Amino acid sequence: MRPANVADIGCGTAVLALAAAAVLPEARMIASDIDRVAVDVAEANVAINDLEGRVACSGGGRLCPSRHRRSGARLIWSLPIS
């Protein structure tokens, strides 16, 4: 079974969401982060890779785990580095 929705929570630059989009061309991605600058970079990366409409970015005050649960995502990544 291949997931139809993927959530990349704590996405940073959205590199994992972009990679998932390459491997799962039929899936839609949600990439979110609490850092607004990271979300801005993620949105730029989505545009550069021509993935608008497949990878949605959100962040800042809009980061809400329940939103990702409602998306039906079956595969969730989080790769915090400190």
Side-chain angles (χ1 to χ4, degrees):
M1 181 175 125
R2 297 178 75 93
N5 299 297
V6 176
D8 180 0
I9 301 172
C11 70
T13 61
V15 67
L16 295 177
L18 298 174
V23 174
L24 303 167
E26 70 284 355
R28 297 179 60 102
M29 316 293 148
I30 297 172
S32 65
D33 202 293
I34 60 172
D35 183 343
R36 187 66 233 177
V37 173
V39 174
D40 292 343
V41 172
E43 289 172 340
N45 286 338
V46 168
I48 289 167
N49 287 281
D50 197 28
L51 291 171
E52 293 101 334
R54 289 209 34 235
V55 180
C57 299
S58 69
R62 296 180 294 165
L63 180 65
C64 176
S66 64
R67 177 178 177 205
H68 297 295
R69 281 194 293 276
R70 288 191 306 267
S71 75
R74 301 244 188 255
L75 181 59
I76 299 175
W77 286 301
S78 181
L79 187 63
I81 299 173
S82 53

